Amino acid sequence: MPTPPENRELSPYTGWTRAHWEATADRLLLDVRPFTSPGHGLIDLPGPRPSWSGPRSDGLEGWARTFLLAALRVAGAHGEDPHRHLDRYAAGLTAGTGKPGRDDQDSWPLMADTRQAIVESASIALGLRLTRPWLWDRLDDRTRQQAVDWLLPALGPSPVDNNWWLFGLTVAGFLQDAGIETGRAAATVDRSLARIEDWYLGDGWYSDGDNRAFDHYNAWALHFYPVLHAHLAGDRELLDRYGPRLRAHLDAYVHLFDSNGAPVPYGRSLIYRFAAAAAPWLGTLTGHTPLTPGATRRLASGTLRYFLDRGATDERGLLGLGWHGPYPPLVQEYSGPGSPYWASKGFLGLLLPAGHPAWTDPEEPLPAERTDTVRASAPAGLLVQTTAADGLVRLHNHGSNHVHSAPGEEDDPGYARHAYSTRTGPTTGPAPADNHFALIVDGKATTRGPAVPAGTGPDRAASLHHPLPGVRVLSATLVHGRAELRAHLVLGAPEGTPVRQTGWAVTPDGPHAQLHPVHGYRPGTTELPTGETLQGPGSRTLALHGATHGPESLFVALASLTAEPDPAPASGLANVRVDGHLLTVTWQNGTTAHLALEAPDPEDL
């Protein structure tokens, strides 16, 4: 399929237009066709292993998630379907629901037997809702009833207490529109929205359940489903409630995108890649966004191109399990070969008319390209730092505790690091953890475990964690330009306990990472090999070493990550005066900041 010509006048940053999005959607859909079952009910994509739900569930997942892409493509074209995508999915709906639960070549698993089918029901229901005039309304009564019978179990309480509540909401929204089981569907909508209300913490941030899990699920699930449901239902009351929350989230979220288009690789399910563009599109679609139309397209096209230009699809045109190309350490056990096609959500912008300013206005620069910024998100305990000279984004994490680590187990690398960036790590497996402060006990580095927020400010964030029984570490990050001050107050550790601070894990052709001891560490750094990260092989990180001295030990370092050529040493980025637990920091431009590290009472956290 030919690629449309770039338009650098309309899109000076990416060159891409709506035609590129349409062509990409068609190409992705055409390239999965060889893997369709005989009756088109399943799409069994090749992969290194099945998910924990099994191959049949994976086949449903491949079908459902590509159907969502087909629905966005055809609905955005007002029913025009030159490749006859919907004909194939209509046949698949008939075959998949004809004898569900049977072990044949097309049948879908039942939700009672396979929980993952509940997840996929949302993509199916949303696809049916978007394409109702061109698909659902043209089906025979028998097929419609089969589909309804398969979908109805999704209206029950969610078996997983997190964003899964929104899958039933999405099924209910379609059934309400179609006039089916409307009372039961309305009850599901109310119950689902009530549950996620418990997790809304303000400023546009939800926790993905009761465990303070903050990641891209805020954008591609927790805002996506309620706001899109309200929009499609024309429910002004719901949109007035959830739209401003989306706007508040986008005000911070837009700062998480590098000038090269990359979102920050933080959290789980990162194989969904350009699904990260769904929330910015949704803000424009509903009018709840702080972004101009040109900035929205620049962000979305930038992130789509970022992945496609770096090998997200293989020689067959299939999205693989990874970040750029395949990267097994990134993949959760619940993910199978069809999972990456939740990236389909990133095509939500196709629902905007071709004449909408998001498609016709010139692209505008992202915040990371305009000026140095620092943004704190207090509810999540996150601090975002960007630099315009190189377009780099860094995320300092002082709020996530979705790590599931038990004594002796490794932290989840997607949540437990002190910092993430758009061009580095994180390290995985036996390699030394990047951006980590550890005590060394019997030659082994301690894990971070849950991080309890201890405050944020305009240029800082802090948290408390317990690496060992009876030992607390108060950590704080203070930033300015490309400079980072990293401070750790260790409380209750035995005298002489070794400590180690690691820096950014960079590849040989990546940005420059620096780490400089200020207080508590021995002079000089060591370099630790960390192997392959999602950015590529040959990754290494710098490390500082020291030891505790007394019941309260303070460790301070300056760090930097920059793509600027030949950067000045980190030691010159700031002058730091230490007076007990009070740090006075004079930055390179002469401005001064103060940081007091006083450990709060655990009962106050």
Side-chain angles (χ1 to χ4, degrees), residues 530-545:
T530 57
E532 184 171 3
T533 68
L534 55 83
Q535 303 290 349
S539 177
R540 305 181 75 84
T541 181
L542 297 173
L544 297 172
H545 304 271

Side-chain angles (χ1 to χ4, degrees), residues 146-282:
Q146 289 173 185
V148 168
D149 291 343
W150 188 86
L151 286 169
L152 281 174
L155 299 187
S158 172
V160 181
D161 198 26
N162 62 1
N163 69 84
W164 277 43
W165 284 94
L166 298 174
F167 304 140
L169 165 86
T170 305
V171 172
F174 163 65
L175 294 176
Q176 282 182 313
D177 274 6
I180 301 167
E181 294 276 2
T182 54
R184 187 177 170 192
T188 297
V189 170
D190 292 343
R191 181 175 61 237
S192 301
L193 294 178
R195 187 67 188 106
I196 69 164
E197 195 68 21
D198 293 341
W199 303 325
Y200 185 65
L201 303 179
D203 292 345
W205 282 95
Y206 291 89
S207 174
D208 189 13
D210 289 329
N211 55 4
R212 289 191 59 83
F214 303 106
D215 53 31
H216 289 283
Y217 273 89
N218 265 271
W220 61 46
L222 291 157
H223 287 288
F224 180 85
Y225 291 111
V227 176
L228 186 55
H229 165 70
H231 171 72
L232 295 175
D235 191 323
R236 176 52 55 185
E237 181 180 352
L238 285 183
L239 197 57
D240 286 346
R241 182 191 312 169
Y242 295 105
R245 294 182 182 182
L246 172 62
R247 181 186 183 93
H249 185 70
L250 290 174
D251 196 48
Y253 185 69
V254 65
H255 292 271
L256 295 178
F257 289 81
D258 195 297
S259 62
N260 66 16
V264 175
Y266 167 60
R268 63 190 177 97
S269 299
L270 295 175
I271 59 170
Y272 304 154
R273 296 181 174 98
F274 42 83
W281 280 131
L282 182 59

Side-chain angles (χ1 to χ4, degrees), residues 132 173 355 576:
R132 185 178 163 196
V576 184

Side-chain angles (χ1 to χ4, degrees), residues 325-360:
Y327 184 63
L330 191 72
V331 184
Q332 279 75 39
E333 292 180 335
Y334 55 75
S335 296
S339 297
Y341 284 86
W342 237 17
S344 299
K345 293 181 178 182
F347 286 80
L348 189 69
L350 291 178
L351 295 183
L352 294 164
H356 191 281
W359 294 115
T360 61

Side-chain angles (χ1 to χ4, degrees), residues 253-332:
Y253 185 69
V254 65
H255 292 271
L256 295 178
F257 289 81
D258 195 297
S259 62
N260 66 16
V264 175
Y266 167 60
R268 63 190 177 97
S269 299
L270 295 175
I271 59 170
Y272 304 154
R273 296 181 174 98
F274 42 83
W281 280 131
L282 182 59
T284 299
L285 181 67
T286 62
H288 291 281
T289 180
L291 304 178
T292 64
T296 299
R297 189 176 79 258
R298 188 270 178 273
L299 183 155
S301 293
T303 197
L304 178 60
R305 282 210 67 171
Y306 173 82
F307 289 108
L308 294 180
D309 290 349
R310 288 166 176 79
T313 55
D314 63 15
E315 67 281 357
R316 297 161 295 189
L318 303 179
L319 287 171
L321 290 160
W323 184 248
H324 296 156
Y327 184 63
L330 191 72
V331 184
Q332 279 75 39

Side-chain angles (χ1 to χ4, degrees), residues 45-139:
L45 298 170
R49 56 145 183 83
S51 73
W52 63 15
S53 298
R56 183 162 296 273
S57 174
D58 294 346
L60 171 64
E61 189 172 60
W63 191 95
R65 299 185 181 198
T66 57
F67 172 51
L68 177 58
L69 177 58
L72 291 167
R73 173 69 176 98
V74 176
H78 303 287
E80 292 185 17
D81 190 6
H83 296 284
R84 301 184 68 180
H85 297 307
L86 291 192
D87 287 350
R88 298 175 66 90
Y89 286 99
L93 185 71
T94 301
T97 61
K99 297 178 180 179
R102 299 289 183 90
D103 187 18
D104 61 30
Q105 292 179 304
D106 287 289
S107 294
W108 294 354
L110 294 168
M111 295 183 203
D113 302 324
T114 305
R115 292 197 315 183
Q116 185 64 28
I118 299 172
V119 181
E120 306 319 314
S121 72
S123 293
I124 294 167
L126 182 54
L128 291 173
R129 192 175 191 180
L130 292 170
T131 60
R132 185 178 163 196
W134 312 289
L135 197 162
W136 182 259
D137 290 348
R138 298 181 180 182
L139 294 173

